[in-house]
Amino acid sequence: MEEKLVEAVRGGLERDGVLGKLRSEIRCEVLRLLGIHDLKKVSKPIITPEVNLINSLIGEYLQWIGYSYTSAIFSSESDFIYSRDENIHRRIMSELGLKDSSDDSLPLLCQLINKVKQNCNY
């Protein structure tokens, strides 16, 4: 009986993506505690407005595509946590020269790529 309950809870957590996200967060924390990220000998760039913009585009895309584990690791490594704020979203659209369109369901990164492709006549 107890095994069935454990399996049902595990199955629900896996189905909802909670278990994978927890595994990813634990993995990130263990690597951080072990100092594994320091082994790369790569220094992080200074966080400029451009870096924040790129992180925002990547974070939105990862959430949209459903890469929750990758998103958790990206957030951990970049110290950037994506959250959809409509005012920030509109400001970024304006900065990138994107207009409201039928592509609104797409993340800004995809909209930007579509715009570049249109301008290059792909």
Side-chain angles (χ1 to χ4, degrees), residues 68-111:
S68 55
Y69 314 132
T70 305
S71 180
I73 290 176
F74 175 72
S75 294
S76 170
E77 288 185 335
S78 66
D79 296 324
F80 182 86
I81 298 173
Y82 170 76
S83 72
R84 172 80 187 235
D85 179 300
E86 201 57 39
N87 292 328
I88 293 172
H89 189 77
R90 296 252 178 250
R91 181 184 53 76
I92 292 171
M93 285 182 74
S94 175
E95 282 182 40
L96 297 173
L98 299 172
K99 297 180 177 127
D100 290 333
S101 68
S102 61
D103 284 349
D104 282 346
S105 62
L106 293 175
L108 292 175
L109 185 58
C110 293
Q111 292 180 44

